[in-house]
Amino acid sequence: MDFSELVKVRQSDRRYAPQAVEAEKIDQCLEAARLAPSACNSQPWRFIVVDDTALRTEIAGAAASMGMNGFTAQAPVIVAVVLEKMSLTAAIGSVIRDKEFSMLDVGIAVSHFTLQAADLGLGTCIIGWFNERRVRKALGIPRGKRIPLLITLGYPEGPTRRKSRKTTAEMSSRNRY
């Protein structure tokens, strides 16, 4: 589909069919993330695909708390996004400019991943609310590494919803604030 259509259909899906996601489609999503640009080509990310049933259930349990993210148990795949070390030049730039370039870079890579998934007919939801310590332990992620996001992935169950967004005039301007 063309890009304009793609951004219209990409949404946060919270209901998934029990159908498994083909390894080739997961690989295409990972390739899209791999090709994402990053500050100083630092590529400060690692994507851990969790499709083993028992492990996925454990990760879903770490995501579901206080009434949040119970839907993760339905997702056939959960991807943990690990923040990796930036290159020296990107790290120096982050300090000088007081900007978290690595977090911006992860956001770009995750956007590539989710847009590729939507193009393949898959649904995703980006999750920031989860027990990071439990996920780190379950996946054997070294202490000190951060997991800013999880992504659920699967075949969506339900239609594309109508988007409620600010108007272009409310969210943008030209030449001045």
Side-chain angles (χ1 to χ4, degrees):
M1 73 183 78
D2 74 9
F3 188 76
S4 296
E5 184 62 26
L6 183 58
V7 296
K8 289 176 187 170
V9 301
R10 195 292 185 209
Q11 63 184 8
S12 294
D13 287 298
R14 293 178 177 86
R15 287 187 13 213
Y16 296 96
Q19 177 182 353
V21 178
E22 299 86 347
E24 303 80 37
K25 289 187 177 183
I26 296 170
D27 290 344
Q28 283 182 264
C29 294
L30 292 169
E31 180 65 4
R34 185 184 76 81
L35 293 173
S38 59
C40 304
N41 198 27
S42 194
Q43 304 170 57
W45 54 71
R46 182 176 183 92
F47 286 61
I48 302 175
V49 176
V50 181
D51 54 5
D52 172 81
T53 303
L55 192 53
R56 185 180 41 78
T57 300
E58 191 172 347
I59 301 304
S65 65
M66 296 176 58
M68 303 285 287
N69 303 323
F71 70 92
T72 55
Q74 292 179 2
V77 178
I78 300 175
V79 179
V81 182
V82 181
L83 186 61
E84 293 292 329
K85 189 175 180 178
M86 290 183 280
S87 68
L88 181 61
T89 52
I92 291 169
S94 284
V95 171
I96 292 171
R97 299 280 38 139
D98 190 26
K99 294 185 181 180
E100 291 288 332
F101 289 136
S102 60
M103 294 299 279
L104 297 169
D105 294 341
V106 163
I108 295 167
V110 167
S111 184
H112 276 55
F113 183 99
T114 59
L115 287 168
Q116 178 65 74
D119 189 52
L120 296 170
L122 298 168
T124 57
C125 188
I126 301 167
I127 301 168
W129 183 281
F130 58 93
N131 185 320
E132 187 175 352
R133 191 174 74 216
R134 278 180 62 190
V135 173
R136 183 182 303 107
K137 184 178 177 187
L139 299 179
I141 297 168
R143 175 176 262 159
K145 295 224 182 255
R146 297 298 314 267
I147 309 161
L149 302 169
L150 299 175
I151 307 168
T152 55
L153 178 68
Y155 286 94
E157 209 168 64
T160 301
R161 298 177 305 277
R162 183 178 171 276
K163 293 188 184 228
S164 173
R165 299 289 188 267
K166 294 177 182 178
T167 66
T168 304
E170 290 173 310
M171 55 74 64
S172 67
S173 59
R174 294 193 191 275
N175 303 318
R176 291 245 190 264
Y177 187 87

